[in-house]
Amino acid sequence: MSNKNRQFVLVSRPEGMVREGDFDLKDSAVPEPGPGEFLLRTVYLSVDPYMRGMMSDRKSYAEPVAIGAVMTGQVVGVVEKSNHDRFKEGEIVVAATGWQEYSVCDGTDCRKVNPDYGPISTSLHVLGMPGLTAYFGLLRICQPEAGQTVVVSGAAGAVGSTVGQIAKIMDCRAVGIAGSKEKTDWITGDLGFAAAVNYRDESSIYRSLKQHCPDGVHAYFDNVGGPITDAVFPLLAVGGRVAVCGQISQYNMDEAPTGPRLLWHLIVKRATLQGFLIFDFAKHYREGLIQLSEWVSSGRVKYRESIADGFEKAPGALVGLFQGDNIGKQLVKVSDL
Amino acid sequence: MSNKNRQFVLVSRPEGMVREGDFDLKDSAVPEPGPGEFLLRTVYLSVDPYMRGMMSDRKSYAEPVAIGAVMTGQVVGVVEKSNHDRFKEGEIVVAATGWQEYSVCDGTDCRKVNPDYGPISTSLHVLGMPGLTAYFGLLRICQPEAGQTVVVSGAAGAVGSTVGQIAKIMDCRAVGIAGSKEKTDWITGDLGFAAAVNYRDESSIYRSLKQHCPDGVHAYFDNVGGPITDAVFPLLAVGGRVAVCGQISQYNMDEAPTGPRLLWHLIVKRATLQGFLIFDFAKHYREGLIQLSEWVSSGRVKYRESIADGFEKAPGALVGLFQGDNIGKQLVKVSDL
């Protein structure tokens, strides 16, 4: 075990696109756990779209990261030392300890991971927040019925790829929107999406989607927003349901972006749009994790990881996320299990 | 009884703002009712925002009015002659017979009106479609709870003025947005709205609304869309609900209008937006009409009418509706009861 703890602290609030230079790599001493605490060594860091919001001081659902503070985020790691009666040395734990190699936890918002259920990295995606986001967003908000068409944007990401596969399990047709041929090949080939649209390759996302959704879009799980969502709205079926999960296309824009006004489509289609945060489903997490674990073990839900190797890669991995570099879940590997 | 039937037919599809010249006044003979039919003499014509959509050939929930056809719309009138076993001479009937002085009906989509319940004109507003739209849109879609703040746009119109009064009956604070001092005075003075914003008189609708909604906007009933709705979105409370009823600010725009992208507010606020058409509540109309009648008779729901006198005034009344000339329900008086 090293006696140095590397941390990434936020040094500037990005204007527009997040930059690697918004973070500074800082050395500090590995902290000592006090009574009722344990020391966690980070194995994987999670890199997620919501992090852009935490870097800005725009009012949102959570406090922004302070300038000079360690960047927030979920990690999975190993308990190295423990004075805690529930978290023991050698156990695997998911915690929101942020971008650092070591951290001291008192158990708050920590979750033990059983490594028998699969690689521990999955606790940061398909068996963690992104998986739960897909599960509750699709089933509780989109509420798709058998035979219906479910469109998902950001379809090759950690959330979107899971949404499409759950839709398929629900006997729906999943149609994904993603940004490269490699991504659309993966979701239609390996994941069983009925169709996919590569938005970077289409002169009209609308026309291409329309072809793939002859009965309209009964449910839309939106991770992206912007022009992609503009293309989906006119195709909503009567009674269509939209889960507004993310708007990744908008997060790096400082000026309020403009686009066509689309609310009248909601009237004509009697459609419902609902924004959600996964925290609102906290008391149902266990239900979701049990079901997702079963689907993952039986191979009905597959996943893919894009792993940046080395703690120092974290800022670059975040930048890459907004450029669409990742396929599946973007992780940063910090140490060996 | 005249033997001439004046009709307004649609002669051109408006580009942008509807013009009186889009209609042509045409004389024809008063039709004769056949077996199972009756002749209705129009007393009042209804003039409604949705009519703009029927004049355009843009795809929507209903077929557009054909060029050369009588303009569609609801009327209330008197049965002059009848070969129908349910609708008798002298009875008052609401029907969608369009802009003409006389029409023959077979009873489809016709509703008898009991004149003991109040002036028959109310069957075209507070005790008709606009009243039902307010009733179901507010209670079923906005679902406001006691003590919450309900904002309504188009607040001095037939629908909006009823929404605010029902909100008050539900022990909510009603805050209205309207376009003149006379309108805001009416809704806060006579109708009991807690506050009102005159959007033509404000440098920032947002700031003014924020003052009147210190706890945020729990429910928003939108008749208007555009910049007014842009001002409401950032003020939505967590779990806020929006009923998208109309977008009158947009109906006369041929180019798809643009505005700020607002969907991320839905995520942060976990808000729900739902578009609706009153027809979807058809099987519950009776419930709504009974309740509205009680509230109108007891004086808990008040109304106001702007009446254009004379059949030939119909096109001008429609143009005026989009200029915000009316307070309360815009009607055209065609003949004496």
Side-chain angles (χ1 to χ4, degrees), chain B residues 130-197:
Chain B
L132 291 166
T133 300
Y135 183 88
F136 291 109
L138 181 68
L139 298 182
R140 300 287 175 89
I141 295 181
C142 288
Q143 300 173 17
E145 293 168 24
Q148 293 190 330
T149 296
V150 174
V151 170
V152 56
S153 58
V159 174
S161 60
T162 309
V163 167
Q165 294 178 89
I166 301 176
K168 202 187 147 205
I169 292 171
M170 298 297 142
D171 290 322
C172 296
R173 291 181 67 243
V175 176
I177 309 173
S180 74
K181 184 167 184 311
E182 194 184 352
K183 291 178 180 179
T184 55
D185 283 352
W186 176 53
I187 63 177
T188 53
D190 292 357
L191 305 190
F193 280 57
V197 174

Side-chain angles (χ1 to χ4, degrees), chain A residues 21-79:
Chain A
D22 292 324
F23 301 97
D24 214 8
L25 188 58
K26 207 181 110 180
D27 287 344
S28 64
V30 173
E32 271 299 315
E37 295 180 335
F38 63 90
L39 177 70
L40 190 72
R41 171 170 56 82
T42 302
V43 176
Y44 292 100
L45 283 187
S46 181
V47 175
D48 301 276
Y50 78 85
M51 290 175 167
R52 177 62 182 80
M54 312 296 290
M55 298 172 71
S56 149
D57 52 9
R58 185 160 73 166
K59 200 180 155 188
S60 187
Y61 56 89
E63 282 297 304
V65 180
I67 294 293
V70 174
M71 179 61 188
T72 55
Q74 273 206 325
V75 312
V76 61
V78 188
V79 178

Side-chain angles (χ1 to χ4, degrees), chain B residues 1 5 29-43 75-98 100-113:
Chain B
M1 196 184 113
N5 182 24
V30 173
E32 271 299 316
E37 295 180 335
F38 63 90
L39 177 69
L40 191 71
R41 171 171 56 81
T42 302
V43 176
V75 312
V76 62
V78 189
V79 178
E80 289 277 342
K81 292 185 193 174
S82 181
N83 304 317
H84 196 286
D85 52 10
R86 219 158 56 78
F87 295 92
K88 304 295 181 197
E89 211 177 295
E91 288 186 326
I92 311 295
V93 172
V94 168
T97 56
Q100 49 188 340
E101 292 179 300
Y102 293 93
S103 53
V104 158
C105 307
D106 66 2
T108 309
D109 292 332
C110 293
R111 176 168 68 89
K112 273 193 233 187
V113 172

